[in-house]
Amino acid sequence: MNSPVLEAGVALPGEAAAASNEVGKRVLQHGARGRVNGEAVYTQDVVLPGMLYAAVLRSTQAHALITAIDVEAALAAPGVRDVITAEDFPGIKYVHFGAKYSDRYPLANGRVRFIGEEVAVVAADTLAQARDAARLITVKYQPLPVLLTPEQAMAADAPDIHDGDLTAAGKNIAQLRDLDFGDVEGAFARAAHVFEGVYEHGVVVPACMETNGTVADYDPENQALTLWTATQAPHFIRKEVSHVLGIPIEKVHVRGVNVGGGFGGKSKVCEQEALAALLAVRTKRPVKLTLERTEEFLSGKTDHAKHMTVRTAIDAQGNILARSTSVVIDNGAYTALGPVYMAAARARTASLYRVGAAHFDSRIVYTNKVPGGQYRGMGAPHTIWAIESQIDEIAERLGIDPLAYRIQIANQSGDTNPLGWQIKSCALSECLAEVGERIGWDEKRRNPKPWRGVGVAAMIHPSAGVIYEEGNFSNTRIELGADGAYKLYTQTSDTGTWQNTVLAQLAANALGVASEEVTVCHMDTQNAPLDLGSAASRVTFVTGNAAIRAAKALREKLAGHLAQLWECDAADIVLASRTAFDANNPARRVDLGEYVAEYGAQVCDGYYSVPTKRPDPDTGYGNYAATYTFGAQAVEVEVDPTTGRIKILQIVAAQDVGKAINPTAIEGQMQGGILQGIGMVLQEELVYEDNRPVNANFLNYKIPRIGDAPPIEVVIIESPEEDGPFGAKAAGEPSINATLAAVANAVAHATGIRFHKLPLTADRVLAELKKREGAKLDFKPLKRPYNVHVATVRSMYPAIVFPALRKVGTKFARQRRKGQRPEVLVANDLQEALRELAVAGRKAKILAGGTDLFVGIKQNVYDLDLLIDISRIEELQGVRIDNGMLCLGARSLLAEVSDSDIVQRALPMLAQGIRRIATPQIRNMATVAGDLCQEKRCWFFRSDLPCYQHGGATCPCFAVMGDSRHHSIIGAGRCAAPCPADLAPILTALDARVVAVSRQGVRHIPMEEFYQWSGLTTLRADEVLHRIEVPLVENATHAFEKYAIRKGDFAEASVAVRLRWQAERLVDARISLGAVSPLPIRATEAEQHLMLHGLSASSIKEAAARTIYGGLPLPGNHHKGYLLIELAQRALHGAAGRQ
Amino acid sequence: MAYQLQVNGTAFSIEASGDTALVDVLRDDLGLRGTKIGCGQGECGACSVMMGERVVCSCLTPVSRATLFPITTIEGICGQAVAHADADAAPASSRLHPIQQAFIDHGALQCGFCTPGMIVAAYALLNRGGRVTEDDVVEGLTGNLCRCTGYRKIIEAVLDAGERMQRHE
């Protein structure tokens, strides 16, 4: 088929050129103005008179019975208007997937099943009051065994996470499906080759920039409930809220707001809607409940982790005779859309490429983790990764080029696959050929540069999935109003997808007007007729068709009436901007505003139902969607063998979209989806430790930053789908589907390693590369005699120390106050600050930039009564040279120091090093003193776990047995948290000293005596850090090398160097290591080696190898040794080269 | 305690406790809700505002600090459109800063939640003057997360805005 290819960035070649035809044009986003000027209202911006604020008390237990809840103290707290628990609801569970899958109450009912589950909610006059009161609620838990993985949950002796017949399919199995399509056994029996592989991955999350939230307002007179809520599906919100509250659905309405991203994370009811609603009903005041980011990570629905065993049978030519897939899906604690997710993921296993027969056995298993929901692709990204990894292996075995092989087995228009999917429009082969050509496949595949590789993958995606029990239809309503312009009402929701712009284009086209005449009013269930919402890639297709019908009906109505009035042909009536006229006699025209004034607003509804039947509920056979979208992506990567970092050099993505209604919209969606895919494959995963995610923040859950965005070339291919509006099919959601596979295949080409577990984080890649090399790290731990003790204790951790301390020792933990809100006192001069610090019986700290303090207070790592703001104290500020010393005032901003001409001239390494710290915002707020003094960033410590640092000697260090990838490899003892400050190794290498002032006098503290431990300096409680003094020495060269996962992150490892020379001779070497030990340390063995042997390449190599001496890594951070050696080499070469 | 703030060229007197975050003062006390809360911990940039000439996270700025510099929010940047009105590209009545217009023209936003913060960061970058490269844009917007767009169109928009602003300097 000859499908036209649309060049990215270029308008469609000449089509129906009528001014009113904007289908296919790059129409600018409707509503963009409000979003760029700050006027757009999101749920968090909704304010109603008398509004209360709600805060949720969440479970701290992963699996436990609730034996008592006492809310009395909370009810009595200032500003509190109401507190609710499960018994305040009518005792009805959410419908969710219905019938036997209905397993969740709005609030934990006698039992909690994951850390973060909602137990109680407080409504108060202010958010602070609500949060303070929530902390006063006491809950008594009786812990039950925790089942964190499906494997644990399916064990014969595992307790049931849910009771009754919810899990009739097996222990903690919410659903089990064993399906055959065609003669699978026969196919495997006669196969020429059989391939088998296991592929697995953890939990990833949508991470929308806007968290979940709801404002609920109850009108007692009409008994009507109104919700402003961040959702993709107002219909399901109404349905579920009315269900669990026992309010008739006609009395529950959702209003329109801007929504900050959905990606499936907001596509069904969440939890906050019903909670806010009940509080509104009870208090008769509006109630706002918005989630904090940590809460979003803890309770927002995730993607489902999966364990997939894939078997493929091929004949001698490579035709796929059958595929058999076994999938275990992690459900989390409750079933949201679990069975649908399972069907979706499973369907991808045998629908991409021509497959003769298919078998699935899949089970979705309850675990004590946050429930899984939908995330873009519905399991396709990871499923396709598994399939496509194996396709590469098959091609290799057959000796066929992987791209050519895929084209050989590509789906074709007219196919019916073994699942019963009828492929109508299909340009998969074209997509594959396009991306291959544009990336330069042949040359790069055959002659890759060292450590570079190219990979390709394809995708199939159900466009307008027919998954809803309610059917798959849309109603829209279009109205000509008093302003002479049009409003299109839809219950779908534009969460950033540009659907409202596309719908406007479609409706406008049907009317014959410019799209700016049509305003799409989304989400409002009072004004819009029923639609199932924005999910399952249905809106362009289903709602779009309905919008066209509504618009056509309105046009007919208007034209018909005007034709009657003017006695002309309806076909001659032209609708233009705010007017209508007779094409044959343009003097006959009417202002549409006046028309409405006379005849009233004109309203028409449009209905469209997908003609496709749903698959058979028992056999699963039949079409999964109205139509299918195809695509392919080719990726070129470069792997750094010294760090394991995978750099994506370029991506070419081609998508067969049927028809591009708005090319700019599609490009944006494709670029966005691809970057989400990059996050999924390289760096995103929820890290579970002690039964909870310990990276529940954007610092450690690493979604891609702007620096991670590679060049993406987008190719839009149009192969019209006859039922789609103008031939369009889904284009937005599926761009993520092929990315993981394409990247992984490119990595396999570059390294020869095929990974079976995602994500491909740099530390895992590095460890694997080194293993293959047979490389070994020589830490020489005995160089630090204390390591013997540490190693001994660590060896006893699994069997004795950790269980004992975790279970028993933590009961004796130091009592900590939490949720303190310290006062702020602005000190006008240094004496005042010192006076205040010296006041006994009060926990006070200096407030400089606040970037560490305020985060730490929120995370309960600081417990303070008073913050002393030093931002007015002149003498603590400024950069100057004094007696051969560069003096940095303690509260000088990092940005001020790096911007300073003095610093850039005198010590460029310092300026450059600072510019690698964090982000522009943080550097504009944080101070040099603050950077040095900041608290540990250990994720156990920051997740409020009862560790040694929080609780004292009876508490364990969680890093010993837990995920220690970010922790210390040298010098850890009872605590393994590294010092995160970049200035620590830099200033140590520079031989700087800290000047501390108290009422007793002045102390000069060399950097090497400044730290007791990470987050703990040798400053006394009554001392203020006054300034940092850096000696300016002659004939010195410097370097600073830092490795971080993303630009803007804390270091995983860093090395700072200062070399002093006399002519060509090295007379002094200072090498300081950062982020690998609890305090910055000097690599003295390395230094000595350089002094003895100079700075030849081999000497530098030897010296670098010595930087890890005395190290005792943990099982998870061995790789930091390689990083350190590599960074040391780079730094030493850099400093030597500057000589 | 009373604090005197200068926001978008207007003086305000605010009654708040000293540790109250500037973002809450802007949104709740002054009704300037264009600045968004994405994480409350300085990790996403959605709350970015200008303090003097520098872009900062208002979620981590205590109101006691915010009195020191004039503050500009997304609403204030919009108000500066008159001085920068790009007569070639947009009618005078549009009153959008070139950066804001460039975001619209390039389709550099989808859900729009990160957009105010992104524009403020771009504003800080471009106001430093001089030609701006793609690397500069990446550097300047490192603290602003976006989940929707994949950033490519944002980079194009900021580069284009930089050129538009240079033409009018």
Side-chain angles (χ1 to χ4, degrees), chain B residues 10-25:
Chain B
T10 305
F12 294 95
S13 184
I14 304 294
E15 191 62 43
S17 60
D19 67 336
T20 304
L22 175 60
V23 70
D24 293 326
V25 170

Side-chain angles (χ1 to χ4, degrees), chain A residues 305-645:
Chain A
K306 295 189 282 298
H307 183 281
M308 302 172 273
T309 307
V310 180
R311 297 177 68 231
T312 305
I314 62 166
D315 65 16
Q317 288 71 51
N319 298 306
I320 299 176
L321 300 175
R323 173 156 303 117
S324 172
T325 316
S326 209
V327 189
V328 176
I329 300 173
D330 191 334
N331 201 17
Y334 294 98
T335 297
L337 265 202
V340 176
Y341 183 92
M342 184 150 84
R346 173 182 83 207
R348 296 306 190 292
T349 62
S351 53
L352 179 60
Y353 305 126
R354 286 174 149 173
V355 172
H359 165 82
F360 316 106
D361 59 272
S362 47
R363 58 213 68 195
I364 187 157
V365 184
Y366 283 119
T367 60
N368 292 119
K369 300 211 286 285
V370 57
Q374 297 78 244
Y375 179 24
R376 194 172 193 159
M378 273 296 247
H382 286 101
T383 306
I384 288 178
W385 159 65
I387 300 298
E388 285 286 41
S389 297
Q390 202 168 75
I391 293 287
D392 255 18
E393 289 178 32
I394 295 174
E396 201 180 322
R397 172 84 76 84
L398 293 170
I400 309 178
D401 172 83
L403 179 59
Y405 178 53
R406 286 172 166 85
I407 293 176
Q408 175 193 323
I409 57 175
N411 308 78
Q412 302 292 337
S413 188
D415 283 357
T416 297
N417 76 6
L419 287 69
W421 297 15
Q422 291 162 315
I423 309 299
K424 293 182 280 181
S425 69
C426 173
L428 178 55
S429 310
E430 281 102 321
C431 289
L432 284 162
E434 264 312 308
V435 301
E437 191 188 307
R438 285 165 187 264
I439 205 154
W441 177 265
D442 288 335
E443 180 56 29
K444 289 180 177 165
R445 190 74 189 181
R446 263 183 272 119
N447 304 314
K449 296 213 175 80
W451 295 107
R452 286 196 181 182
V454 283
V456 71
M459 66 92 174
I460 183 173
H461 188 79
S463 162
V466 290
I467 52 178
Y468 299 106
E469 238 172 42
E470 291 96 332
N472 209 337
F473 60 89
S474 168
N475 291 286
T476 64
R477 174 166 299 155
I478 190 160
E479 174 189 74
L480 172 64
D483 57 353
Y486 306 88
K487 283 195 171 61
L488 179 73
Y489 295 98
T490 171
Q491 281 193 21
T492 56
S493 166
D494 188 329
T495 58
T497 56
W498 285 50
Q499 63 150 59
N500 287 358
T501 309
V502 167
L503 291 175
Q505 288 174 260
L506 293 174
N509 176 273
L511 289 167
V513 301
S515 71
E516 67 190 24
E517 299 295 322
V518 180
T519 303
V520 176
C521 303
H522 73 169
M523 293 174 78
D524 194 316
T525 61
Q526 256 174 330
N527 294 325
L530 180 60
D531 190 312
L532 299 176
S534 301
S537 297
R538 60 189 295 281
V539 173
T540 299
F541 197 98
V542 190
T543 309
N545 272 327
I548 291 172
R549 288 179 178 190
K552 279 194 170 134
L554 183 60
R555 203 210 114 76
E556 264 174 46
K557 185 171 192 233
L558 290 172
H561 188 222
L562 288 172
Q564 210 179 58
L565 293 175
W566 295 337
E567 288 168 3
C568 63
D569 236 308
D572 291 332
I573 302 293
V574 176
L575 299 176
S577 175
R578 318 288 157 122
T579 61
F581 61 89
D582 176 354
N584 288 331
N585 184 357
R588 268 215 290 256
R589 70 194 313 125
V590 65
D591 172 277
L592 288 174
E594 287 171 17
Y595 176 89
V596 167
E598 180 158 353
Y599 297 102
Q602 303 296 306
V603 178
C604 279
D605 282 6
Y607 171 83
Y608 178 79
S609 174
V610 173
T612 314
K613 262 178 40 186
R614 291 180 80 217
D616 185 296
D618 296 314
T619 65
Y621 187 84
N623 262 309
Y624 195 83
T627 179
Y628 304 93
T629 295
F630 292 90
Q633 291 177 18
V635 175
E636 187 182 5
V637 303
E638 184 173 68
V639 179
D640 184 341
T642 63
T643 61
R645 193 203 295 283

Side-chain angles (χ1 to χ4, degrees), chain A residues 1086-1106:
Chain A
E1087 292 169 354
Q1088 280 159 22
H1089 186 89
L1090 290 177
M1091 294 297 288
L1092 281 174
H1093 301 282
L1095 279 122
S1096 65
S1098 60
S1099 173
I1100 286 178
K1101 193 158 176 226
E1102 289 287 308
R1106 282 160 169 70

Side-chain angles (χ1 to χ4, degrees), chain A residues 849-871:
Chain A
T851 55
D852 176 58
L853 266 182
F854 288 119
V855 178
I857 288 168
K858 211 173 190 161
Q859 292 172 338
N860 291 320
V861 305
Y862 287 118
D863 167 18
L864 298 165
D865 301 308
L866 177 72
L867 303 177
I868 301 167
D869 186 338
I870 56 170
S871 57

Side-chain angles (χ1 to χ4, degrees), chain A residues 956-1037:
Chain A
C957 166
F958 287 80
V960 174
M961 291 173 55
D963 191 319
S964 56
R965 71 180 88 173
H966 298 304
H967 288 78
S968 299
I969 54 171
I970 308 177
R974 279 200 141 134
C975 167
C979 178
D982 285 330
L983 278 181
I986 290 175
L987 292 174
T988 302
L990 292 175
D991 199 13
R993 64 190 188 186
V994 167
V995 180
V997 172
S998 71
R999 295 201 293 181
Q1000 271 72 62
V1002 179
R1003 284 202 300 146
H1004 293 82
I1005 313 170
M1007 272 304 298
E1008 282 165 90
E1009 290 164 34
F1010 183 62
Y1011 284 99
Q1012 292 187 52
W1013 203 258
S1014 177
L1016 188 60
T1017 70
T1018 54
L1019 288 175
R1020 291 195 312 256
D1022 64 342
E1023 276 179 321
V1024 171
L1025 200 166
H1026 190 272
R1027 63 187 183 278
I1028 294 161
E1029 293 180 343
V1030 187
L1032 296 173
V1033 299
E1034 307 229 303
N1035 303 317
T1037 60

Side-chain angles (χ1 to χ4, degrees), chain B residues 52-75:
Chain B
E53 299 301 308
R54 298 190 181 277
V55 60
V56 299
C57 285
S58 59
C59 71
L60 289 185
T61 303
V63 66
S64 64
R65 175 72 42 73
T67 58
L68 290 172
F69 298 93
I71 294 173
T72 311
T73 69
I74 184 70
E75 292 90 346

Side-chain angles (χ1 to χ4, degrees), chain B residues 94-112:
Chain B
S94 71
R95 298 245 185 279
L96 285 178
H97 191 283
I99 300 174
Q100 292 168 316
Q101 191 61 55
F103 266 66
I104 296 178
D105 294 342
H106 286 266
L109 62 146
Q110 292 179 23
C111 83

